[in-house]
Amino acid sequence: MVQKPTDLRPLTIGTKTAKRPVIQGGMGVGISLSSLAGAVAKAGGIGIISTAQIGFRSPDFKKNPMEANLKAIHEELKKAREIAPDGILGFNIMVATKEYAQYVKEAVKAGADVIISGAGLPVDMPKYVKEAEGQEDCSVRKTMIAPIVSSVKSAMVICKMWDRKYKTAPDFVVIEGPCAGGHLGFSREQLTEYGADTKEVAKTYEKEKYDGEIRGIIELVKSFAEKYGKKIPVISAGGVFDHQDVLHQMELGADGVQAATRFVTTEECDAPMAYKQAYLDAKEEDIVIVKSPVGMPGRAIKNKFLERIAQGPLKVEWCFRCLEHCNPAQVPYCITKALINAAEGRIDDALLFCGSNAYRCRQIETVEDVMRDLCGEM
């Protein structure tokens, strides 16, 4: 049964309720900070700040990136709260981040309502939250936590581990499909299988095939929700661009959606105008799958930087100690440097992560306009 726009229900996660069932996806470096997250939370969604090199603007960042990042976690959340005092705000923290545990604990101490973690399995996130909150029981927490999963298998692994090790279950689960932006939880072969590795994803993406995976994850999560006697919302992400996409995910059984690309070309997005313009100028054939320096597939906009690294590696002149499994002597380029260049508007020297629908961005909008469109209120 197709839901009408008025049938979109608020999204309740634990004790918090978002009027609109939309989570804004985390985008780093420096694309989703306080301005965007605050605006989304103010508009009734859930605003997410990316911790990926969040302190890159600090004068001491190059000398001590960790200290700068931890300080910026507090600063950015405080600024977002000033925008949306009553809104739901949190962080996206990559499991692959060096000193991941410390980032989670700092986000909790800063007062995050939610933490979403992907780029690996957040096996011990409940423990880190418990320690930061001073709780004795991993199932008791103020900060609500969610793993990002891309398959029934990964959802099963994380839910079983949390159940066995910590006697707890996620507060919500985020599913990121093959059409998501940035690093992807799929091999190149899987992207090919789903038809999501081509230059014409919208025409070839085998939506029905992945829809089955989404339904499977939802059913799996229900079993853990029943065991723990609580509702565990499932949020679907990857290629969510308009109201029809939202309705489709709701028809599959999702409780809400996560969207990121659509928010880049908003007035409130923390990205510089040059970055937003790259989205506005992108054509469908410009959206390509790239190999990240850490070996994972990613989706980005084709530009001079990608053409340059295709000719050979770029020497890493400084290590920012960002990722756990990264050897500066072996990677083709420094991903932190490439993403900071993007956040500072040096587009020709930047890695421009994006979702499969980036080419559909055609104008600068407000966050409220995007939220209304996603929820069918226009």
Side-chain angles (χ1 to χ4, degrees):
M1 176 179 167
V2 176
Q3 292 180 321
K4 298 176 183 178
T6 53
D7 290 335
L8 291 186
R9 295 183 295 274
L11 173 62
T12 298
I13 298 174
T15 60
K16 303 283 185 178
T17 298
K19 291 189 302 180
R20 288 162 164 161
V22 177
I23 297 178
Q24 159 256 311
M27 297 174 281
V29 173
I31 307 304
S32 65
L33 296 175
S34 57
S35 178
L36 177 56
V40 171
K42 183 178 180 180
I46 298 179
I48 300 297
I49 298 167
S50 170
T51 65
Q53 303 297 48
I54 187 173
F56 74 99
R57 292 194 179 100
S58 168
D60 298 327
F61 176 70
K62 189 173 181 180
K63 182 179 178 182
N64 195 337
M66 182 72 175
E67 183 178 313
N69 288 338
L70 296 181
K71 182 180 179 183
I73 285 174
H74 291 262
E75 294 172 343
E76 290 297 326
L77 185 57
K78 181 181 178 182
K79 288 190 287 186
R81 289 244 183 260
E82 290 170 355
I83 297 169
D86 301 318
I88 305 176
L89 293 159
F91 293 95
N92 178 294
I93 308 176
M94 296 190 300
V95 179
T97 305
K98 278 187 181 293
E99 307 295 341
Y100 168 73
Q102 197 165 346
Y103 280 87
V104 172
K105 292 178 181 180
E106 206 67 31
V108 171
K109 292 174 185 176
D113 297 313
V114 300
I115 296 175
I116 299 171
S117 274
L121 294 176
V123 175
D124 296 315
M125 183 158 59
K127 180 179 74 169
Y128 303 145
V129 173
K130 180 193 77 167
E131 292 172 351
E133 291 188 345
Q135 303 283 0
E136 294 183 3
D137 184 349
C138 279
S139 65
V140 178
R141 51 182 174 262
K142 295 178 182 177
T143 304
M144 295 167 287
I145 56 177
I148 296 175
V149 300
S150 295
S151 66
V152 173
K153 181 180 179 181
S154 60
M156 176 69 81
V157 168
I158 196 66
C159 286
K160 278 191 170 183
M161 280 190 169
W162 285 16
D163 179 36
R164 178 174 55 84
K165 293 183 69 175
Y166 301 116
K167 303 297 186 291
T168 192
D171 295 300
F172 61 112
V173 172
V174 176
I175 304 172
E176 279 196 1
C179 290
H183 286 122
L184 303 168
F186 301 86
S187 66
R188 187 64 186 252
E189 291 72 26
Q190 288 173 317
L191 292 174
T192 300
E193 178 185 349
Y194 286 119
D197 67 330
T198 70
K199 296 176 181 177
E200 297 181 321
V201 171
K203 297 184 180 69
T204 64
Y205 172 43
E206 296 186 36
K207 186 174 288 187
E208 291 184 7
K209 185 178 289 188
Y210 193 70
D211 284 353
E213 201 73 22
I214 293 172
R215 291 190 185 98
I217 294 170
I218 290 171
E219 286 305 308
L220 171 71
V221 172
K222 280 182 182 177
S223 68
F224 284 90
E226 290 170 3
K227 178 172 182 175
Y228 283 90
K230 68 176 187 177
K231 169 71 176 175
I232 304 177
V234 176
I235 313 302
S236 187
V240 175
F241 193 84
D242 58 23
H243 184 54
Q244 289 306 309
D245 296 326
V246 174
L247 289 181
H248 180 71
Q249 299 307 320
M250 297 302 193
E251 288 166 18
L252 295 176
D255 299 283
V257 298
Q258 178 178 283
T261 291
R262 182 70 189 275
F263 287 107
V264 170
T265 51
T266 59
E267 294 175 5
E268 298 92 339
C269 180
D270 298 88
M273 188 57 212
Y275 187 99
K276 298 175 187 181
Q277 192 64 48
Y279 274 53
L280 297 176
D281 293 341
K283 299 180 178 64
E284 188 172 3
E285 58 268 24
D286 294 328
I287 313 301
V288 296
I289 300 296
V290 300
K291 185 176 180 181
S292 159
V294 293
M296 299 168 66
R299 182 170 278 111
I301 296 175
K302 185 167 60 178
N303 65 347
K304 291 181 180 179
F305 175 75
L306 290 184
E307 293 173 1
R308 191 178 309 129
I309 62 172
Q311 305 304 314
L314 298 176
K315 184 180 178 182
V316 177
E317 298 177 347
W318 188 272
C319 179
F320 294 93
R321 303 187 294 281
C322 60
L323 299 175
E324 192 65 49
H325 302 290
C326 179
N327 184 340
Q330 296 178 352
V331 295
Y333 62 92
C334 173
I335 192 166
T336 282
K337 181 62 176 173
L339 292 174
I340 288 177
N341 284 345
E344 294 181 340
R346 294 188 293 277
I347 301 305
D348 289 343
D349 299 309
L351 177 60
L352 304 173
F353 273 152
C354 69
S356 61
N357 285 309
Y359 71 95
R360 294 174 63 186
C361 296
R362 283 292 167 258
Q363 61 184 345
I364 299 297
E365 306 171 274
T366 66
V367 162
E368 177 63 23
D369 286 340
V370 172
M371 293 290 280
R372 285 172 57 82
D373 185 46
L374 288 172
C375 295
E377 302 167 7
M378 300 292 275

